[in-house]
Amino acid sequence: MVETAERLNNQAILLAKDGSFKEAIACFARAITIDKNNTMLWYNLALTYRDAGRQREAKESLLKAHSIDPEDQDIIEELALILFYSEEFDESINVCMKGLNLNPENYRLWNTRGVDFFNKGDYNEACESFENAVYLNPYYSDGLYNLRDTYKELGNKTGENVCNIKLQELKKMENNK
């Protein structure tokens, strides 16, 4: 059987699902030697590093994937999250803004941007970001939770109550499925 990047990628994904991160990473590394500019391989390697608790390597792999395809929204979203979890809030905000300049309707990036500002204590910027996320996707519970918490920090009881009502409605919708 001929070893291809696609086969190695598929094998690595299965290994990672089983928690065999070391073996999965080795498969991805081998696949990358075959196809160095394959963003999917770099992205999947990054996810595996992330799941293995190796944030620095995940970030490096995402930066490589991003350098190959700077417009890929999945890569941008994951890179912003990795930067957030590494408490590199300003860098995460920059990545979010680059992604939002490409796709201003990406509610997940608006949410990540908001979480970055919230963690920096800039509740007004966080509020604006979460409001954009919820405007773009009114059923986005993460955005609603974050917006509610931001309204609470800002002392906006009315906004906080509206978010609680919407969250309750979402919960009812989920229960009726």
Side-chain angles (χ1 to χ4, degrees):
M1 183 184 297
V2 177
E3 189 174 65
T4 66
E6 183 179 359
R7 284 192 182 136
L8 288 164
N9 179 65
N10 293 340
Q11 182 180 357
I13 289 170
L14 292 174
L15 288 165
K17 272 186 182 176
D18 288 339
S20 301
F21 299 122
K22 184 177 179 183
E23 295 82 0
I25 290 165
C27 275
F28 284 126
R30 177 69 186 130
I32 288 169
T33 64
I34 296 170
D35 191 356
K36 289 178 181 49
N37 291 319
N38 185 323
T39 56
M40 179 183 62
L41 295 174
W42 286 103
Y43 179 78
N44 289 339
L45 175 61
L47 296 181
T48 303
Y49 276 134
R50 179 203 66 198
D51 293 347
R54 296 171 61 180
Q55 301 303 311
R56 185 179 54 78
E57 292 94 337
K59 176 184 168 183
E60 290 169 5
S61 297
L62 286 165
L63 287 170
K64 178 62 177 175
H66 185 61
S67 73
I68 297 167
D69 186 355
E71 296 185 10
D72 185 295
Q73 291 287 298
D74 290 331
I75 294 168
I76 292 168
E77 286 177 28
E78 193 60 39
L79 179 56
L81 285 172
I82 289 290
L83 291 166
F84 165 74
Y85 289 124
S86 300
E87 297 185 3
E88 297 177 58
F89 303 127
D90 291 331
E91 286 302 312
S92 179
I93 290 167
N94 289 336
V95 169
C96 287
M97 288 313 301
K98 287 177 185 176
L100 289 167
N101 286 333
L102 295 168
N103 179 9
E105 295 183 7
N106 186 327
Y107 62 90
R108 289 178 301 275
L109 282 176
W110 280 113
N111 186 65
T112 300
R113 181 181 185 271
V115 173
D116 287 320
F117 277 114
F118 189 94
N119 279 277
K120 289 178 61 160
D122 188 340
Y123 302 118
N124 289 317
E125 282 292 327
C127 185
E128 180 184 324
S129 295
F130 296 136
E131 285 174 343
N132 280 319
V134 171
Y135 171 78
L136 292 167
N137 183 351
Y139 303 101
Y140 186 46
S141 59
D142 287 351
L144 281 168
Y145 280 113
N146 292 332
L147 182 57
R148 180 198 61 195
D149 293 348
T150 305
Y151 282 151
K152 185 175 185 175
E153 289 293 327
L154 292 170
N156 181 343
K157 293 285 186 200
T158 303
E160 186 181 348
N161 289 334
V162 167
C163 288
N164 279 327
I165 290 166
K166 288 185 178 190
L167 286 164
Q168 289 171 352
E169 290 171 1
L170 284 177
K171 195 172 194 172
K172 283 181 189 174
M173 288 172 53
E174 285 294 315
N175 290 338
N176 292 331
K177 283 186 178 181

